[in-house]
Amino acid sequence: MTGETAAIRAPLRRRTLLAAAAAASIPVRAHAQGAGAWPNGPIRFVVPFAPGGTTDIMARLVGERLQARLGVPVVVENRAGAGATVGSQMVASAPPDGQTIVMSNIASHAISPSVYRGVRYDPVKDFAHIAMVTVNPSVMVANPKFEAQSLAEYIALAKARPGQVNYATSGAGSSNHMIGVRLGLAAGIELVHVPYRGAGPAMTDVIAGVVGVMFDSLPSASSHIRAGSVKALAVSSEERNPAFPDVPTFREQGVDIVSYSWFGISAPAGTPAAIVERLNAETRASIAEPAVAARLDELGGSPRDWSAAEFTAFVAKEYETWAPVVKASGASAQ
Amino acid sequence: MDLLNNLAYGFGVAATFQNLGACLIGALLGTAIGVLPGIGPVATISLLLPLTFGMSSTTAIIMLAGIYYGAQYGGSTTSILMNLPGEVSSVITALDGYQMARNGEAGPALAVAALGSFFAGSVATLLVAASGPLLTSVALSFGPADYFSLMFLGLIVSAVLSEGNVVKSIAMMVAGVGLGLVGTDVQTGQQRFTFDIPELSDGIGFAPMAMGMFGVAEIIRNLEMPEVRDALKTKITRLWLTKDQFRRVIGPVLRGTALGSIVGILPGGGASLSSMGAYTLERRISKNKHNFGKGAIEGVAAPESANNAAAQTSFIPLLTLGIPANAVMALMVGALIIQGIQPGPRMIEAQPDLFWGLIASMWIGNLMLVVINLPLIGMWVRLLKVPYDLMYPAILVFCAIGVYSLNNNSFDVFTTVVFGFLGYVFSKIGCPPAPMLIGFVLGPMMEEHLRRAMLLSRGDPMVFIERPISATLLGLALLAVIAMALPSIRKTKDEAMAGG
Amino acid sequence: MKRRPDAQDLFAGVMFVAFAAFMLWLNTDHPIGSARRMGPGYMPMLAFGILGVLGVAIVIGGLLTGPNLIGRFAWRDMVLILLAMVVFGLTVERLGFIVSIALCVGIASLAEKVWKPLRVVGLIAFLLALCWFLFIWYLDIRIPVFPWSY
């Protein structure tokens, strides 16, 4: 019940509002006015994850640039919960006036809708998908003392001892969990998934040698790879990552897995086309700025200069791709 | 001396005008959000993140760290004055702290909390500086089986947190474990006991539960007994510790600091376990045993020291491994990444400014906090003289706003109402709320580690006995059970004889 | 010798048993799994199973030990205090925190034995100013302020 009521109020951050009021007229019932005046008041940028995570960081990087470009405050609001579906649900039922947008991602719009019962939005139909920000590959890392020090050795080990070889991930139903499921299916091996509450604790146990192998997103694992506390065995991108040219892809090693976690911007379905176009253009311009591009690069992500239509098609394809994998994983809530 | 050189370097970094200012702002903000019930450091730091974009990374992290440990200082104030704990460590402080306030000793309680925190914070900061990288091995030496045994020990000792019927305490603790299981199952993603309510998918909130059972229920109890609460106002006496009290708290502060420094390193349950462990330890060994739960100053000194020591040493996994130990640390990682610094195992060498500057600023910040907080004690104590008919609506409003701001969601306000009701009912039937809150926090962690340990050992329970750390902790738990059972068996016997 | 049972223990024990039974019933939805691969229902089964046993033990203990009555419930105080918070929760997002605080304080103040309207109005005004200063100006938390702030 609170989801809907919360969704129909615009964010009001008093001090920023005062600044906005000077620039625009005082924003009373922003959605009652036509799209012509957009943006007319602060834009509420919902991040469906807790502050401090990759999604949050991406949103804050881009949000800050959008704020400068649009001339209105872009207020990041964290609404975590239920695999990013709580925040996404809120945006799906917000008025389609361009004043409320969400940092859509692989969890909220591709995997979680198949995992969580009680998700009431359709990740494709209930949103106007605006722009892709960046995609991140995942990486398979191993403790340097683990028996298997390559993907081939890992598969051989799992074949020799079926049902006794583990991998850690940041959680059940995460995109990294799905890579583990796909690896099991593709190589015909039986692996044991050891889920954690987030990537941090999982990485701790891999470094400590409790679990031998982990699938993690490249940005969160990169500092540990560089420091040598874990060894990277494979990346999930189509080609090798420029930051880690020595790490082979899954494909090179004969396993057909290509997987990216991605972060984009979406608005409620029915948002006027003019607003979608403007936001798409400003987002693409923001991520093309050298300073932002450099930061995204450090984070291990590659920006995507896509139109809204391209992004929408991508989301639809992702949702279709992941639903059967989720079923195979048994991670479905019911 | 490498350490001295490094520390001197760190003080050079921290003592710039800008960094001192950031430290002060952080400490002040932290105190404010600590004192206000409900509002936690996570919400505040996430709101302040955009502000830090314009600062240097060292200044930013100094300010954010100040908010974090400032909140630990401030958190004790409301639990002592109004029985309004917002986190586990304050629940423990409230046990004896609030009773001290009711006995007219709010001043000494607040003073010992501030002094104990300062001492513990200073010692723990030195420890981080001197042997942070070494201590990292502590965090890495704990496997899932060891964590399970640690949580198990924590649960066992939590049963003695309160006075009265031990069986009811244990039942409350087990009920807390059960409530902690509400939400998404970490292992499978299955929703448990959520009734398809999305807000429940991440579990029941701790702060709404604690503030309902302690704060709101306490208001109803006070309203029902107007003569008791009016009598209290006249009893306020001293603001400062007596010589005797001072002597009595030295041991608890030292032991609390030691325990908190070690347990704080463990990611996850470290901070909450430390204050509970320190409290239980004192309760076992103190000469003043019979006074615990009725306003024993040792029962405030030990957990407050432990919790502040743990707050400092919980930076170790972040600074040496790049792994955040809790939600606040995760936010700091975010702040650093936005600044272009990837926290990781090489941070000390790569960012000496940041590491040594932060360490020095923690010590300065602790000093600032004690200087800010001691003069405030007089003001806080005077707050108790405000007529209750003006006081309780204010407490209620602060609770409501604070709880709402946790997730910007009214659902948490309603949760507080439900637990306010339950807390009042529990008080009528002699069921202590503290064990329930401990079970609520430790239960889900225990489940997670139990299942992971069994998964990794392929279903062999011997793993809990074969690992030395785990075996030691389980042995301690067994001793605790025996120690608990003996007096109550004796008591039942005596009662049976007397009653027969 | 006939003795009156401990009413507090009886009530508490029955409450624990009922709660445990209800949750165990809900838990039938969740796979139990095996000791090696514990399902989502394993730990709840243990926890609520133990709770049920403890509840029974408390009931038995209550039947054996001396009389211990349950004190009177301050229904009026309790309902007013809880209602004040419920009203705050229901109205804050629609009407903003000014109206919500006023309503919350107004309802809560009725729990006082003697209701003094002037005192209550003064308190509301003071709290509004204080909350504005602390939460909006100083801490800048995200909360709607006016009825038209949605």
Side-chain angles (χ1 to χ4, degrees):
Chain A
M1 61 177 292
T2 48
E4 281 93 335
T5 54
I8 46 170
R9 71 182 170 90
L12 281 182
R13 203 179 172 206
R14 232 62 38 200
R15 266 175 268 163
T16 41
L17 180 68
L18 288 177
S25 58
I26 293 175
V28 179
R29 294 192 185 224
H31 57 275
Q33 296 167 20
W38 188 86
N40 50 4
I43 291 174
R44 182 186 203 195
F45 194 178
V46 174
V47 174
F49 281 107
T54 316
T55 318
D56 184 56
I57 295 166
M58 299 279 180
R60 287 175 197 275
L61 272 174
V62 177
E64 205 245 335
R65 294 319 301 152
L66 284 179
Q67 175 163 322
R69 289 176 170 277
L70 294 170
V72 293
V74 174
V75 184
V76 171
E77 188 175 321
N78 298 91
R79 281 276 186 139
T85 59
V86 171
S88 307
Q89 176 66 59
M90 201 175 74
V91 175
S93 45
D97 56 7
Q99 300 297 132
T100 311
I101 54 178
V102 64
M103 194 81 186
S104 47
N105 55 74
I106 188 168
S108 64
H109 284 74
I111 296 177
S112 294
S114 310
V115 175
Y116 289 88
R117 216 159 42 132
V119 171
R120 283 166 296 150
Y121 62 84
D122 181 311
V124 182
K125 288 190 201 117
D126 289 340
F127 290 87
H129 296 289
I130 289 167
M132 178 67 107
V133 174
T134 158
V135 299
N136 291 319
S138 287
V139 61
M140 177 182 184
V141 295
N143 181 296
K145 291 188 190 128
F146 184 60
E147 296 159 87
Q149 289 296 314
S150 73
L151 180 56
E153 284 175 29
Y154 183 73
I155 293 172
L157 191 68
K159 284 203 167 130
R161 286 192 260 143
Q164 301 202 12
V165 176
N166 312 315
Y167 66 93
T169 72
S170 59
S174 66
S175 60
N176 291 311
H177 175 198
M178 297 305 143
I179 294 179
V181 173
R182 282 168 69 179
L183 177 61
L185 292 174
I189 46 179
E190 193 191 331
L191 299 169
V192 180
H193 177 220
V194 186
Y196 283 79
R197 212 183 273 269
M203 185 57 86
T204 313
D205 270 9
V206 174
I207 295 173
V210 172
V211 185
V213 161
M214 170 181 181
F215 298 102
D216 196 5
S217 76
L218 185 57
S220 101
S222 58
S223 72
H224 301 284
I225 299 171
R226 286 207 185 92
S229 40
V230 293
K231 187 186 173 196
L233 307 185
V235 286
S236 70
S237 43
E238 274 153 329
E239 271 146 34
R240 291 192 182 202
N241 190 285
F244 295 94
D246 300 339
V247 182
T249 65
F250 278 97
R251 272 194 180 162
E252 276 176 57
Q253 304 181 71
V255 180
D256 188 22
I257 294 177
V258 173
S259 166
Y260 295 95
S261 52
W262 49 268
F263 307 89
I265 295 180
S266 303
T271 304
I275 295 178
V276 172
E277 281 316 305
R278 173 92 196 276
L279 257 175
N280 176 275
E282 300 295 2
T283 308
R284 287 158 82 174
S286 300
I287 56 179
E289 284 181 29
V292 178
R295 199 51 58 81
L296 291 176
D297 191 49
E298 278 165 29
L299 286 166
S302 342
R304 289 282 187 271
D305 192 30
W306 283 357
S307 71
E310 280 174 303
F311 180 43
T312 310
F314 174 83
V315 176
K317 196 175 138 253
E318 280 282 292
Y319 182 45
E320 241 169 66
T321 313
W322 286 108
V325 182
V326 172
K327 286 230 165 62
S329 76
S332 170
Q334 279 294 307
Chain B
M1 277 293 284
D2 241 15
L3 176 64
L4 284 183
N5 282 339
N6 285 330
L7 277 179
Y9 175 65
F11 275 101
V13 174
T16 62
F17 178 73
Q18 204 181 0
N19 288 344
L20 280 179
C23 189
L24 180 66
I25 292 173
L28 281 176
L29 260 176
T31 306
I33 59 167
V35 168
L36 291 170
I39 294 195
V42 177
T44 316
I45 292 180
S46 69
L47 289 176
L48 282 172
L49 269 189
L51 267 182
T52 63
F53 291 174
M55 304 175 179
S56 82
S57 55
T58 308
T59 310
I61 209 82
I62 283 177
M63 189 174 92
L64 298 181
I67 296 177
Y68 176 58
Y69 53 73
Q72 306 289 326
Y73 260 76
S76 55
T77 309
T78 345
S79 22
I80 289 172
L81 292 175
M82 279 144 203
N83 206 18
L84 265 181
E87 50 187 310
V88 184
S89 54
S90 339
V91 169
I92 310 292
T93 307
L95 291 177
D96 274 275
Y98 183 63
Q99 292 308 320
M100 283 185 75
R102 304 203 77 164
N103 298 342
E105 295 218 290
L110 290 169
V112 81
L115 290 176
S117 295
F118 173 65
F119 175 81
S122 310
V123 171
T125 304
L126 258 181
L127 197 69
V128 176
S131 48
L134 270 178
L135 290 172
T136 309
S137 60
V138 175
L140 287 180
S141 62
F142 266 66
D146 309 320
Y147 271 111
F148 166 80
S149 303
L150 183 68
M151 303 296 163
F152 186 72
L153 174 63
L155 279 185
I156 295 288
V157 300
S158 79
V160 300
L161 278 177
S162 302
E163 289 295 318
N165 189 329
V166 179
V167 185
K168 275 200 262 185
S169 287
I170 297 175
M172 285 296 274
M173 176 199 81
V174 177
V177 171
L179 288 175
L181 300 177
V182 172
T184 308
D185 172 34
V186 177
Q187 306 268 326
T188 61
Q190 177 149 24
Q191 307 285 297
R192 295 187 292 190
F193 313 110
T194 56
F195 305 99
D196 286 343
I197 301 170
E199 280 87 353
L200 277 181
S201 66
D202 287 331
I204 301 167
F206 178 81
M209 190 171 163
M211 286 166 53
M213 285 211 288
F214 277 77
V216 176
E218 183 67 23
I219 291 178
I220 304 171
R221 277 198 297 273
N222 281 337
L223 283 172
E224 121 189 276
M225 305 177 292
E227 49 313 318
V228 180
R229 72 180 206 230
D230 290 335
L232 287 175
K233 269 187 295 204
T234 53
K235 274 170 70 178
I236 297 162
T237 48
R238 279 166 303 104
L239 290 182
W240 196 244
L241 301 165
T242 61
K243 268 216 182 88
D244 175 53
Q245 282 173 326
F246 201 85
R247 198 178 41 73
R248 272 162 52 199
V249 299
I250 292 175
V253 166
L254 288 175
R255 284 185 288 268
T257 305
L259 193 81
S261 301
I262 300 302
V263 185
I265 302 166
L266 302 173
S272 36
L273 277 170
S274 66
S275 48
M276 201 179 77
Y279 183 85
T280 324
L281 181 69
E282 291 309 318
R283 196 174 181 145
R284 274 266 136 240
I285 65 173
S286 172
K287 285 184 203 118
N288 198 11
K289 256 181 224 138
H290 56 280
N291 243 339
F292 270 70
K294 294 172 200 141
I297 195 160
E298 294 92 336
V300 178
E304 273 302 303
S305 312
N307 121 56
N308 217 47
Q312 314 292 329
T313 54
S314 63
F315 276 89
I316 289 179
L318 174 70
L319 293 172
T320 60
L321 287 176
I323 288 168
N326 54 42
V328 179
M329 298 293 155
L331 264 175
M332 296 208 192
V333 171
L336 287 173
I337 290 178
I338 288 174
Q339 296 272 357
I341 294 172
Q342 182 70 245
R346 283 198 192 144
M347 210 163 68
I348 302 180
E349 293 104 90
Q351 309 281 342
D353 267 30
L354 191 124
F355 182 79
W356 296 106
L358 175 63
I359 300 247
S361 87
M362 284 195 209
W363 194 84
I364 297 174
N366 271 291
L367 184 67
M368 285 178 176
L369 280 168
V370 83
V371 171
I372 297 167
N373 276 289
L374 287 182
L376 281 178
I377 291 175
M379 192 190 93
W380 295 129
V381 171
R382 224 165 297 145
L383 211 59
L384 290 177
K385 296 203 176 187
V386 173
Y388 201 70
D389 66 318
L390 297 180
M391 201 63 210
Y392 78 87
I395 298 177
L396 214 57
V397 163
F398 281 127
C399 268
I401 297 178
V403 167
Y404 174 83
S405 76
L406 289 172
N407 290 310
N408 295 322
N409 199 327
S410 291
F411 188 81
D412 288 325
V413 180
F414 302 136
T415 310
T416 313
V417 171
V418 170
F419 281 97
F421 170 73
L422 288 176
Y424 182 62
V425 173
F426 289 152
S427 74
K428 289 286 173 189
I429 55 177
C431 291
M436 179 178 254
L437 288 168
I438 304 294
F440 176 79
V441 173
L442 297 185
M445 292 198 245
M446 197 170 90
E447 180 198 23
E448 198 184 323
H449 293 296
L450 171 66
R451 287 166 74 179
R452 194 173 293 140
M454 292 300 272
L455 198 60
L456 291 171
S457 75
R458 324 254 162 261
D460 181 6
M462 291 305 284
V463 66
F464 296 105
I465 305 168
E466 280 161 4
R467 290 183 60 96
I469 299 176
S470 169
T472 312
L473 292 166
L474 285 182
L476 283 174
L478 191 69
L479 279 180
V481 171
I482 294 171
M484 228 176 345
L486 279 182
S488 71
I489 291 171
R490 216 174 290 144
K491 209 168 105 195
T492 337
K493 247 190 215 157
D494 292 348
E495 271 171 16
M497 307 259 269
Chain C
M1 191 180 83
K2 201 173 174 214
R3 51 196 303 175
R4 286 168 62 201
D6 187 323
Q8 289 194 10
D9 280 7
L10 284 188
F11 190 106
V14 170
M15 179 187 75
F16 286 131
V17 172
F19 177 59
F22 178 63
M23 295 302 257
L24 281 174
W25 175 65
L26 287 179
N27 196 40
T28 52
D29 285 353
H30 309 145
I32 303 295
S34 61
R36 173 178 172 188
R37 286 204 190 191
M38 296 179 192
Y42 200 96
M43 190 75 172
M45 180 187 73
L46 284 183
F48 293 114
I50 294 172
L51 183 65
V53 173
L54 288 170
V56 172
I58 293 169
V59 170
I60 294 173
L63 288 173
L64 295 180
T65 51
N68 203 353
L69 297 175
I70 299 177
R72 278 202 44 230
F73 269 67
W75 287 108
R76 191 187 131 85
D77 295 342
M78 185 182 80
V79 167
L80 283 169
I81 293 297
L82 298 181
L83 184 70
M85 278 198 94
V86 170
V87 167
F88 178 91
L90 286 177
T91 56
V92 66
E93 282 174 351
R94 260 162 279 199
L95 302 177
F97 97 148
I98 293 187
V99 178
S100 280
I101 288 177
L103 285 173
C104 179
V105 175
I107 296 171
S109 66
L110 294 173
E112 260 307 299
K113 303 293 171 284
V114 195
W115 196 66
K116 303 168 191 141
L118 262 184
R119 224 168 137 85
V120 173
V121 171
L123 179 64
I124 290 175
F126 172 76
L127 280 179
L128 282 177
L130 185 66
C131 289
W132 178 288
F133 170 76
L134 271 177
F135 293 107
I136 309 298
W137 186 83
Y138 188 55
L139 292 174
D140 203 8
I141 68 169
R142 308 273 152 79
I143 192 163
V145 176
F146 302 107
W148 54 86
S149 294
Y150 59 84

